[in-house]
Amino acid sequence: MTQRFPTFVRGLGVIAANCIPLVGVTAWGWDLWLLLVVYTAEAAFSVLIAATKALFAEQGSPGRPGQHEPLHELREKRGSFQLYSNLPPIYPRNIPFALTVLGVWFGFIGPISLVYLVTLGPAIQVSVGLAVSIAALLFSQIEEFVVEYIGTGEYRDVSAQELIRTPAQLTLVLLFVGLLTLGGSRAGRITLLTGLVIGKTLSSVYRFYVEHFGGSLLDVNIDLSDDLPRSEPPPEPKMPEEPVEASVVVDKKSVILGSLSAVGFALVSRFTLLTVAALVVALQIGHPVWIGLLSVVLLCIIGARMLSFYLRYGTIEYQRRGEFLVAYDRLLESPQWIATVGPGTDFSVINAIVDRLRDTGRLRITGVDSVDGGSVQFGPLSDLDEAINTLQLPVHQTERPERDPTIIAAAGGLLLFFLAVPAGLFLAPGIDSGTAYASLVVIGPFAVIHAGILLYVALSRI
């Protein structure tokens, strides 16, 4: 009982923070709009806390089939780094999950909530009571993060995938309150407001009980999402005991050039396409603020993809340790994957465009037990044959397909045809610029996809 007393006191703090809006309803004359402001601020801050928690989560996240998080290549990154001695290490493999929850809320839910409050709601008068209520709810989350999550080491037992689900509860409350505000005639009913605050308080207390005392008070187990696992053991492989016999490093310039393919895939994502479309509209209107803002967003997307790709492949040193081939990350000082050099491991040459342009090389290694799917990339290396000899790998064929001018000419001709269609929109005399920009937004994504395929075919046989 004495061990649970501090947690019990913190539970009382959660109740007190959630009950301050009740004082606002009964004594300060709050309506639904003020409750919506309070719960919007709490939901936004819970998203920031959940994203921060996710960075420190030690357990692995299995992910969801068919889903790709932002910067998803970092999902395969192993190891961690420490920013401050009093904080636990940060795992790069958790960054995609943190960006997921931030992107969903601040890229979609948050702006909609803000526009809803500004355009449909009455003028909000900032008062001491409103500030105290918001501050109390935010402080309770900070206290839980510092004392419970970091202080007691809860980060060791959770995964990032579990943590990003936490803000969903507050988002549902926010949606429910927002829908009620549409019925303006009910905004002043004290019974309704009191019921909302009490219901929100009970849900917060129930979540606190389940998280800190274990077990559910209800016998019914309801899962509205799916029954797939949300946590797995940490995926960091164990370094072999054998000493380093030989090592080679990747060609960093080829890695940076290869990141352009990751940028290309980023440009066909829904968020990036919307950003590009908005930028085209801003250029047509000639609004300098929106042009600058959207340009910065687009540059940040491109820069983030290039940086994540480089962190995935550009800091690797390949080591031969006895019968093992180890991909060792020199930045994080951690092995990324470990392959046994033997009959169960297959090596094949990858015909990468970057390697054809820079005369570098890389291999595909299959049958690797330390990674999901059992397939990893070896390289790019400035001299693939020399690396194979240095590491004594059982690879005897390193040639790529021969240069084919016929395929290059055919793909290049079709590429010019696809590019000529949008160019003709601006050169045709009977089409104004507004129509040209609008048509470009509609047909642009299809032209980019086909042009990208043709460009890949041409460059792969150059």
Side-chain angles (χ1 to χ4, degrees), residues 375-442:
S375 177
V376 295
Q377 175 181 294
F378 173 81
L381 299 160
S382 57
D383 192 328
L384 181 59
D385 292 322
E386 182 181 353
I388 291 173
N389 293 331
T390 300
L391 300 178
Q392 299 182 5
L393 301 179
V395 181
H396 307 288
Q397 180 71 24
T398 59
E399 288 77 14
R400 294 186 291 264
E402 294 291 336
R403 184 174 181 271
D404 195 328
T406 304
I407 294 179
I408 296 173
L414 290 174
L415 176 61
L416 292 176
F417 172 77
F418 276 105
L419 295 179
V421 174
L425 293 173
F426 294 91
L427 299 177
I431 301 178
D432 60 276
S433 59
T435 303
Y437 277 115
S439 301
L440 185 62
V441 170
V442 175

Side-chain angles (χ1 to χ4, degrees), residues 61-109:
S61 300
R64 288 292 181 268
Q67 292 186 3
H68 292 287
E69 299 81 9
L71 308 184
H72 61 274
E73 55 269 9
L74 291 180
R75 287 276 320 274
E76 304 302 323
K77 200 67 179 176
R78 303 297 175 243
S80 61
F81 63 92
Q82 201 160 17
L83 290 178
Y84 184 59
S85 59
N86 291 336
L87 289 176
I90 293 176
Y91 294 88
R93 55 180 163 81
N94 294 334
I95 292 177
F97 291 97
L99 291 178
T100 296
V101 67
L102 290 175
V104 170
W105 216 94
F106 290 100
F108 180 68
I109 299 176

Side-chain angles (χ1 to χ4, degrees), residues 337-355:
W337 50 260
I338 301 172
T340 302
V341 181
T345 306
D346 296 325
F347 298 83
S348 59
V349 176
I350 299 177
N351 183 30
I353 294 174
V354 175
D355 295 334

Side-chain angles (χ1 to χ4, degrees), residues 19 30 38 40-41 94 109 116 163 165 188 190 197 202 228 263 288 361 412 440 451:
C19 284
W30 285 12
V38 171
T40 299
N94 294 334
I109 299 176
Y116 184 75
L163 293 168
R165 295 166 55 90
I190 192 171
V197 176
L202 290 177
L228 296 176
V263 172
L440 185 62

Side-chain angles (χ1 to χ4, degrees), residues 98-252:
L99 291 178
T100 296
V101 67
L102 290 175
V104 170
W105 216 94
F106 290 100
F108 180 68
I109 299 176
I112 291 178
S113 302
L114 183 61
V115 171
Y116 184 75
L117 282 170
V118 172
T119 58
L120 298 180
I124 303 298
Q125 298 295 327
V126 179
S127 62
V128 175
L130 182 64
V132 169
S133 179
I134 294 175
L137 290 172
L138 301 189
F139 178 79
S140 67
Q141 295 192 45
I142 295 175
E143 185 272 342
E144 189 275 336
F145 172 75
V146 174
V147 177
E148 292 284 340
Y149 190 74
I150 300 297
T152 64
E154 286 185 358
Y155 60 87
R156 300 189 183 96
D157 303 319
V158 296
S159 70
Q161 190 169 325
E162 290 178 282
L163 293 168
I164 64 174
R165 295 166 55 90
T166 303
Q169 183 189 47
L170 288 176
T171 301
L172 289 175
V173 172
L174 182 65
L175 177 62
F176 182 66
V177 176
L179 291 175
L180 288 178
T181 56
L182 294 176
S185 60
R186 299 188 297 172
R189 291 186 180 179
I190 192 171
T191 303
L192 172 65
L193 301 177
T194 303
L196 283 174
V197 176
I198 293 177
K200 164 62 171 55
T201 302
L202 290 177
S203 67
S204 298
V205 171
Y206 178 73
R207 186 182 63 186
F208 183 88
Y209 175 86
V210 172
E211 291 177 351
H212 296 84
F213 290 89
S216 173
L217 292 174
L218 303 176
D219 294 330
V220 181
N221 182 19
I222 300 177
D223 190 347
L224 299 179
S225 57
D226 51 57
D227 56 357
L228 296 176
R230 293 185 290 273
S231 180
E232 62 185 13
E236 277 70 24
K238 184 179 180 181
M239 180 68 82
E241 297 180 356
E242 289 82 353
V244 178
E245 300 174 2
S247 64
V248 295
V249 297
V250 298
D251 186 89
K252 294 180 174 58

